[in-house]
Amino acid sequence: FPVTIEALMILCQKPKATQCAGFHAWREAGRIVRKGAKGAAILVPIGADEDDNPRFSWRYVFDISDTEEISENSPKLAREVAA
């Protein structure tokens, strides 16, 4: 089966990861990343330069085990963003 370079990068850094997303994607899904959680660094394409060479940027993704549902016990800011 095909495997992306991003999946391989996550596998090397977090072998037990099952569902990964960025900080803002987790917030939109009603979850917050726990304070102190370490993300997995991946390279994502951000376009091309003037010579059509691909450009990449580092981004961090977090596994679902690094998150928790936004609830009444969540920090006030997280509850306000989720509303």
Side-chain angles (χ1 to χ4, degrees):
F1 58 93
V3 177
T4 64
I5 189 69
E6 293 87 356
L8 289 175
M9 294 176 79
I10 293 167
L11 179 64
C12 289
Q13 297 171 71
K14 292 185 161 264
K16 295 183 180 182
T18 57
Q19 294 178 330
C20 291
F23 182 86
H24 296 289
W26 281 125
R27 191 181 311 173
E28 290 172 8
R31 302 186 73 82
I32 56 172
V33 175
R34 288 190 188 104
K35 185 175 182 178
K38 303 292 184 198
I42 61 170
L43 281 172
V44 294
I46 59 169
D49 64 14
E50 58 277 352
D51 296 324
D52 283 335
N53 296 317
R55 296 183 60 214
F56 295 89
S57 178
W58 290 103
R59 297 288 189 261
Y60 289 88
V61 294
F62 300 88
D63 184 53
I64 194 167
S65 64
D66 296 324
T67 69
E68 56 190 43
E69 278 191 69
I70 295 175
S71 67
E72 293 299 318
N73 298 331
S74 298
K76 181 179 177 186
L77 180 60
R79 291 193 312 270
E80 290 172 357
V81 170

